[in-house]
C-alpha cells in the first residue's frame, strides 16, 4: 500500500484515525497503531511481514541482553552486538545485493550461476538501519533498552515511516510512545503537512515527470544539448518532490497520531555547496552514516579522507545494487573531498557562482544516478557538456516548454523556503485569531486535497521512486 493511492487516502487513513482515537488509553492506542501498521505492511508484503517481525525481535532481544549485562564482560557484549549487525546485514545483502555480486562474479569468471528471483522487501533498508541504530545506542548507554517487545515492534513498524523513513531514533520518540495528549493544532498541522506532501508527489512530481518522459522518449540520440539538460533538471526536481513529498506525508501522519518526527529535508536546492546539500537532503540517512559509521571510524580525528570514502561508497550501495549507484557515491566523495580539503569553505563566500556551480554538479550527479547503464549515462553527460557535436537547441521543442512554463515556475518556487515563512506567519495568525486560522487552513486543505485525489484517481497507481532504493 502506498500513501498516494485511493485505497490509502479514502479507506485506510480515515479508518485508521477513527479507530486510533476510539481507544481510551495510550496502551490501547499503541496496540491499535501496531495492528494498523502490520496490516498496512501486510497489504503489500504478506510474506515479508514475518521477516520484519523476526528482525525486530532479534534487535529487541540483543539490546535487552546488552542492557542487562550492565558492566559485565565488555568484549562479549560487543561481540553480541557485532553478530547481530552481521546477521541483519547478511539478510539485507541476500535480498538486495546477492544477485548483483553473483552476476558480476559470473561475468568475471565466465560462469553461469542460477540466481533465484527474490523481490526486495519494502522498507528493508530503512528498518534494518533503524534496528542497528537502536542497538548501537543501547550499547553506548545513550538510551535504556525497551523491555516490551510490542512497543519496540511498534517503533520499527509504525506505518507513517516504515517504508521510506525517515530513519527514527528511539531516543527521540520514547517519551512520545508513553504519552501523546491530543492537540487540535498539531492534528490540523499534520493534516496540512500530509496534503502538501501528497501534492508534491501527485501534482508536482507527476507533472514534472511528463517533461522527463518527453525528453527521454526514443532515447537522446540527435537531441539538442539544452533539451537533455532540461530533462535531467526535471529528474532532479521529480526525485526531490517525490521523496520530500513522502517525508512530508510521513511527518504529517505522525503529527495526526500525536508524534513529532525529525525533519528529513530542508530545502536542499538552495545550497551553496554539495556539502551543504547533503546536510539538507535525506537528513536522517546522513545522520545515521555520520553517527554510526563516520565517527566510529575516526571522524575528523584520523583517516578523515578514508572515512569519507567509506561513507560515500556505502551511501551509493545503500541506494541499490548497480554500478552507476556505486559510481554516483564515489562521484560525491570526490566533490566533497575537494570542497573539504582544498576549498575549505571558500566557495561559500562567492555569491551566485557557488550556487550555480553546486546545481551544475548536482544535475551531473543525478544523471549518473538516473542511468543504470553507466556507459549510457556517460554518453548523456558528454552530450550535455557539448562533447558529442549535438546542436545547442532546435525549434521543435519550444512550444512544449512554453506551454509547461507555469509548471516549472511552481516547481522552482516550491524549492525555495517560502513555505517556512508562510508557516511562521500562519502560526502568528493562529495565536491572534485561531478561528480565522482554522477556517483558512480548512479551505486550503480541502481545495488541495481535491486536486490530489483527482490526480490519484486519474493516474492510477502512484508508486514512490525511492521504493526502488
Amino acid at each position: 500500500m502506498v500513501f498516494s493511492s485511493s485505497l490509502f487516502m479514502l479507506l485506510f487513513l480515515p479508518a485508521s484515525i477513527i479507530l486510533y482515537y476510539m481507544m481510551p488509553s495510550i496502551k490501547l492506542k499503541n496496540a491499535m497503531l501496531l495492528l494498523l501498521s502490520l496490516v498496512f505492511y501486510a497489504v503489500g508484503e504478506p510474506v515479508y511481514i514475518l521477516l520484519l517481525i523476526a528482525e525486530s525481535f532479534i534487535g529487541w532481544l540483543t539490546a535487552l541482553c546488552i542492557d542487562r549485562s550492565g558492566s559485565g564482560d565488555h568484549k562479549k557484549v560487543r561481540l553480541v552486538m557485532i553478530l547481530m549487525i552481521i546477521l541483519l546485514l547478511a539478510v539485507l545483502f541476500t535480498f538486495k545485493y546477492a544477485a548483483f555480486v553473483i552476476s558480476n562474479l559470473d561475468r568475471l569468471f565466465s560462469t553461469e550461476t542460477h540466481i533465484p528471483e527474490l523481490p526486495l522487501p519494502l522498507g528493508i533498508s530503512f528498518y534494518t538501519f533503524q534496528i542497528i541504530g537502536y542497538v548501537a545506542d543501547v550499547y553506548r548507554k545513550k538510551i535504556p533498552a525497551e523491555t516490551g517487545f510490542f512497543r519496540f515492534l511498534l517503533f520499527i513498524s509504525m506505518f507513517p515511516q516504515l517504508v521510506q523513513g525517515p530513519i527514527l531514533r528511539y531516543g527521540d520518540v520514547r517519551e512520545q510512545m508513553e504519552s501523546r495528549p491530543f492537540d487540535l493544532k498539531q492534528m490540523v498541522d499534520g493534516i496540512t503537512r500530509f496534503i502538501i506532501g501528497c501534492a508534491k508527489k501527485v501534482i508536482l512530481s507527476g507533472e514534472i515527470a511528463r517533461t522527463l518522459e518527453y525528453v527521454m522518449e526514443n532515447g537522446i540520440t540527435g537531441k539538442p544539448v539544452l533539451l537533455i539538460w532540461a530533462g535531467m533538471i526535471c529528474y532532479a526536481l521529480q526525485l526531490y518532490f517525490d521523496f520530500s513529498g513522502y517525508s512530508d506525508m510521513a511527518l504529517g501522519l505522525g503529527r495526526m497520531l500525536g508524534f513529532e518526527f525529525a525533519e528529513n529535508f530542508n530545502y536542499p536546492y538552495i545550497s551553496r555547496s554539495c556539502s551543504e546539500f547533503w546536510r539538507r537532503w535525506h537528513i536522517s540517512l546522513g545522520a545515521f552514516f555520520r553517527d554510526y559509521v563516520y565517527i566510529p571510524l575516526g571522524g575528523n580525528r584520523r583517516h578523515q579522507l578514508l572515512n569519507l570514502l567509506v561513507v560515500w561508497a556505502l551511501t551509493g550501495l545503500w541506494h541499490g545494487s548497480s554500478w552507476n549507484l556505486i559510481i554516483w557515491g564515489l562521484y560525491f566523495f570526490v566533490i566533497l573531498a575537494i570542497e573539504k580539503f582544498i576549498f575549505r569553505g571558500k566557495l561559500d563566500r562567492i555569491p551566485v557562482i557557488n550556487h550555480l556551480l553546486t546545481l551544475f554538479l548536482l544535475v551531473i550527479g543525478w544523471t549518473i544516478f538516473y542511468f543504470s547503464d553507466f556507459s549510457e549515462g556517460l554518453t548523456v553527460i558528454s552530450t550535455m557538456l557539448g562533447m558529442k557535436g549535438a546542436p545547442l537547441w532546435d525549434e521543435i521543442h519550444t512550444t512544449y516548454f512554453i506551454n509547461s512554463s507555469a509548471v516549472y515556475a511552481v516547481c522552482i518556487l516550491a524549492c525555495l523556503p517560502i513555505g517556512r515563512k508562510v508557516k511562521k506567519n500562519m502560526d502568528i495568525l493562529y495565536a491572534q485569531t485561531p478561528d480565522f486560522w482554522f477556517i483558512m487552513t480548512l479551505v486550503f486543505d480541502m481545495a488541495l486535497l481535491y486536486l490530489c485525489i483527482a490526480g490519484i484517481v486519474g493516474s492510477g497507481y502512484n508508486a514512490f521512486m525511492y521504493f526502488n532504493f
Side-chain angles (χ1 to χ4, degrees), residues 321-396:
S321 54
S322 176
W323 282 111
N324 70 301
L325 296 177
I326 297 171
I327 294 168
W328 171 82
L330 296 177
Y331 166 82
F332 277 108
F333 157 70
V334 172
I335 291 173
L336 267 60
I338 291 172
E339 288 183 354
K340 192 175 185 70
F341 297 106
I342 297 178
F343 290 106
R344 299 180 183 275
K346 294 176 183 177
L347 285 175
D348 292 350
R349 298 192 290 270
I350 308 174
V352 182
I353 293 176
N354 56 10
H355 186 67
L356 292 175
L357 177 61
T358 299
L359 292 176
F360 171 84
L361 294 172
L362 290 172
V363 173
I364 296 296
W366 289 133
T367 305
I368 298 171
F369 193 88
Y370 178 82
F371 290 96
S372 56
D373 183 342
F374 179 68
S375 60
E376 184 181 3
L378 200 58
T379 301
V380 171
I381 292 171
S382 299
T383 305
M384 292 166 67
L385 297 178
M387 299 166 61
K388 293 292 183 180
L392 187 64
W393 184 249
D394 58 35
E395 295 298 324
I396 300 173

Side-chain angles (χ1 to χ4, degrees), residues 39 80 124 175 255 361 373 402:
V39 169
V80 168
I124 187 171
E175 292 183 4
R255 288 180 186 173
L361 294 172
D373 183 342
I402 291 174

Side-chain angles (χ1 to χ4, degrees), residues 2-6 8-9 198 201-202 249 456 460 462-464:
V2 296
F3 294 165
S4 56
S5 67
S6 53
F8 182 85
M9 297 281 287
C198 188
K201 161 60 184 171
V202 175
M249 294 171 86
I456 289 170
N462 276 279
F464 287 87

Side-chain angles (χ1 to χ4, degrees), residues 12 47 72 90 129 154 162 221 293 299 354 372 391 447 454 468:
F12 185 86
V47 175
F129 277 24
L154 172 60
L162 170 62
T221 304
V293 179
N354 56 10
S372 56
N468 298 322

